[in-house]
Coordinates of all heavy atoms in Angstrom, one line a residue:
M1 N -5.0 -7.0 -14.1 CA -5.5 -5.9 -15.0 C -4.4 -4.8 -15.1 O -3.9 -4.4 -14.1 CB -6.8 -5.4 -14.6 CG -7.4 -4.4 -15.5 SD -8.9 -3.7 -14.8 CE -8.7 -2.0 -15.3
A2 N -4.0 -4.4 -16.3 CA -3.0 -3.4 -16.4 C -3.6 -2.0 -16.3 O -4.6 -1.6 -17.0 CB -2.3 -3.5 -17.7
T3 N -3.1 -1.2 -15.4 CA -3.5 0.2 -15.3 C -2.2 1.1 -15.5 O -1.1 0.6 -15.4 CB -4.1 0.5 -14.0 OG1 -3.2 0.0 -12.9 CG2 -5.4 -0.1 -13.8
L4 N -2.4 2.3 -15.7 CA -1.3 3.3 -15.9 C -1.0 3.9 -14.6 O -1.9 4.4 -13.9 CB -1.6 4.3 -17.0 CG -1.5 3.8 -18.4 CD1 -1.9 4.9 -19.4 CD2 -0.2 3.2 -18.7
I5 N 0.2 3.9 -14.2 CA 0.7 4.5 -12.9 C 1.8 5.5 -13.3 O 2.3 5.5 -14.4 CB 1.2 3.4 -12.0 CG1 2.3 2.6 -12.7 CG2 0.1 2.5 -11.4 CD1 3.3 2.0 -11.7
N6 N 2.1 6.3 -12.3 CA 3.3 7.2 -12.5 C 4.5 6.6 -11.9 O 4.4 6.2 -10.7 CB 2.9 8.5 -11.9 CG 1.9 9.3 -12.7 OD1 1.9 9.2 -13.9 ND2 1.0 10.0 -12.0
C7 N 5.6 6.6 -12.6 CA 6.8 6.1 -12.1 C 7.2 7.0 -10.9 O 7.1 8.2 -11.0 CB 7.9 6.2 -13.2 SG 9.5 5.9 -12.6
R8 N 7.7 6.3 -9.9 CA 8.0 7.1 -8.7 C 9.3 7.8 -8.8 O 9.6 8.8 -8.0 CB 8.1 6.2 -7.5 CG 9.3 5.2 -7.5 CD 9.1 4.2 -6.4 NE 10.1 3.1 -6.5 CZ 11.2 3.1 -5.8 NH1 11.5 4.1 -5.0 NH2 12.0 2.1 -5.9
V9 N 10.1 7.5 -9.9 CA 11.3 8.2 -10.1 C 11.2 9.4 -11.1 O 11.5 10.5 -10.8 CB 12.5 7.2 -10.5 CG1 13.7 8.0 -10.8 CG2 12.7 6.2 -9.4
C10 N 10.7 9.1 -12.3 CA 10.7 10.1 -13.4 C 9.2 10.6 -13.6 O 9.1 11.5 -14.4 CB 11.2 9.5 -14.7 SG 10.2 8.2 -15.4
K11 N 8.2 10.1 -12.9 CA 6.9 10.5 -12.9 C 6.2 10.3 -14.3 O 5.1 10.8 -14.5 CB 6.7 12.0 -12.5 CG 7.5 12.4 -11.3 CD 6.9 11.7 -10.1 CE 7.7 12.1 -8.8 NZ 7.7 11.1 -7.8
N12 N 6.8 9.6 -15.2 CA 6.1 9.3 -16.5 C 5.2 8.2 -16.3 O 5.3 7.4 -15.3 CB 7.2 8.9 -17.6 CG 7.9 10.1 -18.1 OD1 7.2 11.0 -18.6 ND2 9.2 10.1 -18.1
T13 N 4.2 8.0 -17.2 CA 3.2 7.0 -17.0 C 3.8 5.6 -17.5 O 4.5 5.6 -18.5 CB 2.0 7.2 -17.9 OG1 2.3 7.6 -19.2 CG2 1.1 8.4 -17.3
V14 N 3.6 4.6 -16.7 CA 4.1 3.3 -16.9 C 3.0 2.3 -16.7 O 2.1 2.5 -15.8 CB 5.2 3.0 -15.9 CG1 5.9 1.7 -16.2 CG2 6.3 4.1 -15.9
S15 N 2.9 1.2 -17.4 CA 2.0 0.2 -17.2 C 2.3 -0.5 -15.8 O 3.4 -0.7 -15.5 CB 2.0 -0.9 -18.3 OG 1.3 -2.1 -17.9
S16 N 1.2 -0.8 -15.1 CA 1.4 -1.4 -13.8 C 2.0 -2.8 -13.9 O 2.5 -3.4 -13.0 CB 0.1 -1.4 -13.0 OG -0.8 -2.2 -13.6
N17 N 1.9 -3.4 -15.1 CA 2.5 -4.7 -15.4 C 4.0 -4.6 -15.6 O 4.6 -5.6 -15.6 CB 1.8 -5.4 -16.6 CG 0.4 -5.9 -16.3 OD1 0.0 -5.9 -15.2 ND2 -0.3 -6.2 -17.3
A18 N 4.4 -3.4 -16.0 CA 5.9 -3.3 -16.3 C 6.7 -3.6 -15.1 O 6.5 -3.1 -14.0 CB 6.1 -1.9 -16.8
K19 N 7.7 -4.4 -15.4 CA 8.7 -4.7 -14.3 C 9.8 -3.6 -14.2 O 10.5 -3.6 -13.3 CB 9.3 -6.1 -14.5 CG 8.3 -7.2 -14.5 CD 8.1 -7.6 -13.0 CE 7.1 -8.8 -13.0 NZ 5.7 -8.3 -13.2
L20 N 9.8 -2.8 -15.3 CA 10.9 -1.9 -15.5 C 10.3 -0.6 -16.1 O 9.5 -0.7 -17.0 CB 11.9 -2.5 -16.4 CG 13.3 -1.9 -16.4 CD1 14.2 -2.7 -15.4 CD2 13.9 -2.0 -17.8
C21 N 10.6 0.5 -15.6 CA 10.2 1.8 -16.2 C 10.9 1.9 -17.5 O 12.1 2.0 -17.6 CB 10.5 2.9 -15.3 SG 10.1 4.5 -16.1
P22 N 10.1 2.1 -18.6 CA 10.7 2.3 -19.9 C 11.4 3.6 -20.2 O 12.2 3.8 -21.1 CB 9.6 2.1 -20.9 CG 8.4 2.4 -20.2 CD 8.6 2.1 -18.7
H23 N 11.1 4.6 -19.3 CA 11.6 5.9 -19.4 C 13.0 6.0 -18.7 O 13.9 6.6 -19.2 CB 10.7 6.9 -18.9 CG 9.3 6.8 -19.5 ND1 9.1 7.3 -20.8 CD2 8.2 6.3 -19.1 CE1 7.8 7.1 -21.1 NE2 7.2 6.4 -20.1
C24 N 13.0 5.6 -17.4 CA 14.3 5.9 -16.7 C 14.9 4.6 -16.2 O 16.0 4.6 -15.6 CB 13.9 6.7 -15.4 SG 13.0 5.8 -14.2
G25 N 14.3 3.5 -16.4 CA 14.9 2.2 -16.1 C 14.7 1.7 -14.6 O 15.3 0.8 -14.2
E26 N 13.9 2.5 -13.9 CA 13.6 2.1 -12.5 C 13.0 0.7 -12.5 O 12.1 0.4 -13.2 CB 12.7 3.1 -11.9 CG 12.1 2.7 -10.6 CD 13.2 2.7 -9.5 OE1 14.2 3.4 -9.6 OE2 13.0 1.9 -8.6
R27 N 13.6 -0.1 -11.6 CA 13.2 -1.6 -11.6 C 11.8 -1.8 -11.2 O 11.1 -2.7 -11.6 CB 14.2 -2.4 -10.8 CG 15.5 -2.6 -11.6 CD 16.2 -3.7 -11.0 NE 17.7 -3.6 -11.4 CZ 18.6 -4.5 -11.1 NH1 18.2 -5.5 -10.4 NH2 19.7 -4.3 -11.5
S28 N 11.3 -1.1 -10.1 CA 10.0 -1.3 -9.7 C 9.3 0.0 -9.5 O 9.4 0.6 -8.5 CB 10.0 -2.1 -8.4 OG 11.0 -1.6 -7.5
P29 N 8.7 0.5 -10.6 CA 8.2 1.9 -10.6 C 7.0 2.1 -9.6 O 6.8 3.3 -9.3 CB 7.7 2.1 -12.0 CG 7.9 0.8 -12.8 CD 8.6 -0.2 -11.9
E30 N 6.3 1.1 -9.1 CA 5.1 1.4 -8.3 C 5.1 0.9 -6.9 O 4.1 0.8 -6.3 CB 3.9 0.8 -9.0 CG 3.9 -0.7 -9.0 CD 2.5 -1.3 -9.2 OE1 1.6 -0.6 -8.9 OE2 2.4 -2.5 -9.6
P31 N 6.2 0.5 -6.3 CA 6.1 -0.1 -5.0 C 5.5 0.8 -3.9 O 4.9 0.2 -3.0 CB 7.6 -0.5 -4.6 CG 8.4 0.4 -5.4 CD 7.6 0.7 -6.6
Y32 N 5.7 2.1 -4.0 CA 5.2 3.0 -2.9 C 3.7 2.9 -2.7 O 3.2 2.8 -1.6 CB 5.6 4.4 -3.2 CG 7.0 4.7 -2.9 CD1 7.6 6.0 -3.3 CD2 7.9 3.8 -2.3 CE1 8.9 6.2 -3.0 CE2 9.2 4.0 -2.1 CZ 9.7 5.3 -2.4 OH 11.0 5.5 -2.2
I33 N 3.0 2.8 -3.9 CA 1.6 2.8 -3.8 C 1.1 1.6 -3.0 O 0.3 1.7 -2.1 CB 1.0 2.8 -5.2 CG1 1.5 4.0 -6.0 CG2 -0.5 2.7 -5.2 CD1 1.3 4.0 -7.5
D34 N 1.6 0.4 -3.5 CA 1.1 -0.8 -2.8 C 1.5 -0.9 -1.4 O 0.7 -1.2 -0.5 CB 1.7 -2.0 -3.6 CG 0.8 -2.4 -4.8 OD1 -0.3 -1.8 -4.9 OD2 1.2 -3.2 -5.6
T35 N 2.8 -0.5 -1.1 CA 3.3 -0.6 0.2 C 2.5 0.3 1.1 O 2.1 -0.1 2.3 CB 4.8 -0.2 0.3 OG1 5.5 -0.9 -0.7 CG2 5.3 -0.4 1.7
L36 N 2.2 1.5 0.7 CA 1.4 2.4 1.5 C 0.0 1.9 1.7 O -0.6 1.9 2.8 CB 1.3 3.8 0.7 CG 1.1 5.0 1.6 CD1 2.4 5.3 2.3 CD2 0.8 6.2 0.7
K37 N -0.6 1.4 0.6 CA -2.0 0.9 0.7 C -2.1 -0.2 1.7 O -2.9 -0.2 2.6 CB -2.4 0.5 -0.7 CG -3.9 0.4 -0.9 CD -4.3 0.4 -2.4 CE -3.8 -0.8 -3.1 NZ -4.1 -0.7 -4.5
Y38 N -1.2 -1.3 1.5 CA -1.3 -2.4 2.4 C -0.9 -2.1 3.8 O -1.4 -2.6 4.8 CB -0.5 -3.6 1.8 CG -1.1 -4.1 0.5 CD1 -0.4 -4.2 -0.6 CD2 -2.5 -4.6 0.6 CE1 -1.0 -4.7 -1.8 CE2 -3.0 -5.0 -0.6 CZ -2.3 -5.1 -1.8 OH -2.8 -5.6 -2.9
G39 N 0.1 -1.2 3.9 CA 0.5 -0.7 5.2 C -0.6 0.0 6.0 O -0.8 -0.3 7.1
L40 N -1.3 0.8 5.2 CA -2.5 1.5 5.8 C -3.6 0.5 6.2 O -4.2 0.6 7.3 CB -3.0 2.5 4.8 CG -3.7 3.8 5.4 CD1 -2.6 4.6 6.1 CD2 -4.3 4.6 4.3
I41 N -3.9 -0.4 5.3 CA -5.0 -1.4 5.6 C -4.6 -2.3 6.9 O -5.3 -2.4 7.8 CB -5.2 -2.3 4.4 CG1 -5.8 -1.5 3.3 CG2 -6.1 -3.5 4.8 CD1 -5.9 -2.2 1.9
G42 N -3.3 -2.7 6.9 CA -2.8 -3.5 8.0 C -2.9 -2.7 9.3 O -3.4 -3.2 10.3
F43 N -2.5 -1.4 9.3 CA -2.5 -0.6 10.4 C -4.0 -0.4 10.9 O -4.2 -0.5 12.1 CB -1.9 0.8 10.1 CG -1.8 1.7 11.2 CD1 -0.8 1.5 12.2 CD2 -2.6 2.8 11.3 CE1 -0.7 2.4 13.2 CE2 -2.5 3.7 12.3 CZ -1.6 3.5 13.3
T44 N -4.9 -0.1 10.0 CA -6.3 0.0 10.3 C -6.9 -1.2 11.0 O -7.6 -1.1 12.0 CB -7.1 0.4 9.1 OG1 -6.5 1.5 8.5 CG2 -8.5 0.8 9.5
V45 N -6.5 -2.4 10.5 CA -7.0 -3.6 11.0 C -6.5 -3.8 12.4 O -7.2 -4.2 13.4 CB -6.6 -4.8 10.1 CG1 -6.8 -6.2 10.9 CG2 -7.3 -4.8 8.8
V46 N -5.2 -3.5 12.6 CA -4.6 -3.6 14.0 C -5.3 -2.7 15.0 O -5.7 -3.1 16.1 CB -3.1 -3.3 14.0 CG1 -2.5 -3.1 15.4 CG2 -2.4 -4.4 13.2
I47 N -5.6 -1.5 14.6 CA -6.3 -0.5 15.5 C -7.7 -1.0 15.8 O -8.1 -1.0 17.0 CB -6.4 0.9 14.8 CG1 -5.0 1.5 14.6 CG2 -7.3 1.8 15.5 CD1 -4.3 1.8 15.8
V48 N -8.4 -1.5 14.8 CA -9.8 -2.0 15.0 C -9.8 -3.2 15.9 O -10.6 -3.3 16.9 CB -10.5 -2.4 13.6 CG1 -11.7 -3.2 13.8 CG2 -10.7 -1.1 12.8
V49 N -8.8 -4.1 15.7 CA -8.8 -5.3 16.7 C -8.5 -4.9 18.1 O -9.1 -5.4 19.0 CB -7.7 -6.3 16.1 CG1 -7.4 -7.4 17.2 CG2 -8.1 -6.9 14.8
V50 N -7.5 -4.0 18.2 CA -7.2 -3.4 19.6 C -8.4 -2.8 20.2 O -8.6 -3.1 21.4 CB -6.0 -2.5 19.5 CG1 -5.8 -1.7 20.8 CG2 -4.7 -3.2 19.2
L51 N -9.1 -2.0 19.4 CA -10.3 -1.4 20.0 C -11.4 -2.4 20.4 O -12.0 -2.2 21.5 CB -10.9 -0.3 19.0 CG -10.1 0.9 18.8 CD1 -10.7 1.8 17.7 CD2 -10.0 1.7 20.1
I52 N -11.6 -3.4 19.6 CA -12.6 -4.5 19.9 C -12.1 -5.2 21.2 O -12.9 -5.4 22.1 CB -12.7 -5.4 18.7 CG1 -13.4 -4.7 17.5 CG2 -13.5 -6.7 19.2 CD1 -13.4 -5.5 16.3
L53 N -10.9 -5.5 21.3 CA -10.3 -6.2 22.4 C -10.5 -5.3 23.7 O -10.9 -5.8 24.7 CB -8.9 -6.6 22.3 CG -8.7 -7.8 21.4 CD1 -7.2 -8.0 21.1 CD2 -9.4 -9.1 21.8
A54 N -10.2 -4.1 23.6 CA -10.4 -3.1 24.7 C -11.8 -3.1 25.1 O -12.1 -3.0 26.3 CB -9.8 -1.8 24.3
G55 N -12.7 -3.0 24.1 CA -14.1 -3.0 24.4 C -14.6 -4.3 25.2 O -15.3 -4.2 26.1
L56 N -14.1 -5.4 24.7 CA -14.5 -6.7 25.3 C -13.9 -6.7 26.8 O -14.6 -7.2 27.7 CB -13.9 -7.8 24.5 CG -14.6 -8.2 23.3 CD1 -13.8 -9.3 22.5 CD2 -16.0 -8.7 23.5
L57 N -12.7 -6.3 27.0 CA -12.1 -6.3 28.3 C -12.9 -5.4 29.2 O -13.1 -5.7 30.4 CB -10.7 -5.7 28.2 CG -9.6 -6.8 27.8 CD1 -8.2 -6.2 27.7 CD2 -9.6 -7.9 28.8
N58 N -13.4 -4.3 28.7 CA -14.3 -3.4 29.5 C -15.5 -4.1 30.0 O -16.0 -3.9 31.1 CB -14.7 -2.1 28.8 CG -13.6 -1.1 28.9 OD1 -12.8 -1.1 29.9 ND2 -13.5 -0.2 27.9
Y59 N -16.1 -5.0 29.1 CA -17.3 -5.7 29.5 C -17.0 -6.8 30.5 O -17.7 -7.0 31.5 CB -17.9 -6.4 28.3 CG -18.8 -5.5 27.5 CD1 -18.5 -5.1 26.2 CD2 -20.0 -5.0 28.1 CE1 -19.3 -4.3 25.5 CE2 -20.9 -4.2 27.4 CZ -20.6 -3.8 26.1 OH -21.4 -3.0 25.4
I60 N -15.8 -7.5 30.3 CA -15.4 -8.6 31.2 C -15.1 -8.1 32.6 O -15.5 -8.6 33.6 CB -14.3 -9.4 30.5 CG1 -14.8 -10.1 29.2 CG2 -13.8 -10.5 31.5 CD1 -13.8 -10.6 28.3
L61 N -14.2 -7.1 32.6 CA -13.7 -6.6 33.9 C -14.7 -5.7 34.6 O -15.5 -5.1 34.1 CB -12.4 -5.8 33.7 CG -11.3 -6.7 33.0 CD1 -10.0 -5.8 32.7 CD2 -10.9 -7.8 34.0
Ligands
ZN15 ZN1 10.7 6.1 -14.6

């Protein structure tokens, strides 16, 4: 689904489907959003798993 995003270089609105910003020619106008989002989700998952493992270890030991 195409949504409008802001180009990370020129801040103009660009379709999320666009491979290239039509305003400034930036090749991938939206990578920061996805990288940040998935990085944050991955980080949260790691923290939760570590906390669960720590909790289990407390029960076992
Ligand atoms: Zn741009």
